[in-house]
Amino acid sequence: MKTIDVGRITQAVAKLCKDANYYLGEDVIEAFNNAYEQELSLTGKEIIEQLIKNADIARAEDVPMCQDTGFAVVFVELGQDVHIVGGSLEDAINEGVRQGYTEGYLRKSIVGHPLERVNTGDNTPAVIHLKLVPGDQLKITVAPKGGGSENMSAIKMLKPAEGVDGVKKFVLDTVKEAGPNPCPPIIVGVGIGGTFEKAALLAKEALLRPVGVPSHKPEIAELEKELLKKVNNLGIGPQGLGGRITALAVHVNIYPAHIASLPVAVNINCHASRHKEVIL
């Protein structure tokens, strides 16, 4: 049995909050470079070039790459042989978010009541997704999610008879309706199957995959490739000003479904695909 004190968890989460907002992953930078080469619009190429420079400045100066430093979404894989001591896991994560967003001068974007709209002042509480797994390790992934892209996400309960064509139409309709609002070039996470809430979680988890890495399921990898081509044919382009590159990638996750259901969720991420992880 491995013992982990909550103080280590808080310290790790605080660092992850800052790192995720300062340092864009190399997978995203590589996707930017590829997009620059593929983009035919001069305006689109200039925008992508600015995104690369913006990421470089954020990394060099330890400042947020975007003013919207996001809702702190935290994915936790807790090993069955891990014993957490000194307090609760949830409290430790929220304290880490509080410290990270305060020390890192990151914008506090969370209101404590969705209708009364009073800011909590420290970007807590986080949204925590906990998964119990074999082993004696604790894996924590912090994925700040901006409001602009989250607002453009959607879910629909399709009829099973609508099949893959219905899925494709819903994904394309969602991206088309989003237009410039999620700050393209975007990453599109798609969840197919499960229940209402499971499809949404699948779509969110799809955004954690390195940009452009295909599904390990051949038929889903083909679907991702087709959807990416169709999305980019919409002509929305970087920042919605027209062009060839509307999305850097489409990632699809699937799960078994009820005989009467075909849930589909689309979780759109802006170009700042931020997530950092640590294993304790």
Side-chain angles (χ1 to χ4, degrees):
M1 181 70 71
K2 181 178 181 179
T3 299
I4 299 178
D5 188 273
V6 292
R8 288 185 63 197
I9 297 171
T10 292
Q11 185 178 30
V13 170
K15 185 176 187 302
L16 289 172
C17 288
K18 290 180 280 189
D19 288 355
N21 276 290
Y22 297 164
Y23 314 132
L24 200 56
E26 291 302 320
D27 59 323
V28 186
I29 300 299
E30 183 179 351
F32 282 167
N33 289 325
N34 292 336
Y36 181 84
E37 294 300 323
Q38 296 174 35
E39 183 56 71
L40 300 179
S41 162
L42 293 180
T43 299
K45 291 179 82 74
E46 183 179 348
I47 290 169
I48 295 169
E49 188 175 25
Q50 289 174 352
L51 295 180
I52 295 171
K53 289 180 179 178
N54 180 71
D56 288 343
I57 292 170
R59 180 183 297 273
E61 299 185 12
D62 284 351
V63 294
M65 67 191 75
C66 177
Q67 51 82 25
D68 185 350
T69 53
F71 210 128
V73 181
V74 183
F75 293 87
V76 180
E77 293 184 13
L78 176 62
Q80 293 175 159
D81 298 323
V82 172
H83 181 210
I84 295 173
V85 298
S88 81
L89 174 61
E90 183 175 349
D91 288 347
I93 291 172
N94 279 317
E95 177 60 19
V97 171
R98 185 192 70 77
Q99 291 182 16
Y101 273 76
T102 301
E103 296 166 0
Y105 299 100
L106 306 176
R107 195 183 81 182
K108 288 77 177 176
S109 303
I110 306 307
V111 295
H113 190 295
L115 301 179
E116 296 174 359
R117 313 302 292 181
V118 177
N119 200 297
T120 63
D122 58 11
N123 220 63
T124 65
V127 168
I128 303 170
H129 300 292
L130 176 63
K131 184 182 295 183
L132 195 62
V133 298
D136 63 353
Q137 293 182 327
L138 173 61
K139 180 180 178 181
I140 303 172
T141 303
V142 173
K145 191 64 164 64
S149 60
E150 192 74 354
N151 288 346
M152 295 297 102
S153 302
I155 189 168
K156 188 173 184 179
M157 304 301 289
L158 298 180
K159 297 179 179 64
E162 293 179 78
V164 68
D165 288 337
V167 170
K168 294 174 188 176
K169 183 179 185 304
F170 178 60
V171 173
L172 291 174
D173 286 348
T174 301
V175 174
K176 185 175 181 180
E177 184 175 348
N181 294 320
C183 294
I186 58 177
I187 295 93
V188 184
V190 180
I192 307 172
T195 53
F196 182 87
E197 81 283 2
K198 180 64 175 180
L201 183 55
L202 289 170
K204 181 78 74 181
E205 289 174 335
L207 297 175
L208 300 180
R209 196 191 310 167
V211 176
V213 172
S215 169
H216 66 277
K217 299 178 183 293
E219 76 282 6
I220 299 302
E222 281 300 312
L223 177 60
E224 292 172 337
K225 185 177 178 180
E226 180 183 350
L227 283 171
L228 179 59
K229 182 177 180 180
K230 289 180 180 294
V231 164
N232 283 334
N233 283 342
L234 291 173
I236 296 168
Q239 295 300 299
L241 296 176
R244 184 178 183 182
I245 306 298
T246 297
L248 300 173
V250 176
H251 294 165
V252 179
N253 283 349
I254 65 170
Y255 197 81
H258 190 280
I259 57 173
S261 300
L262 179 55
V264 183
V266 178
N267 197 211
I268 296 178
N269 208 2
C270 65
H271 62 270
S273 180
R274 300 166 290 188
H275 46 87
K276 296 294 180 184
E277 66 183 47
V278 68
I279 296 177
L280 301 180

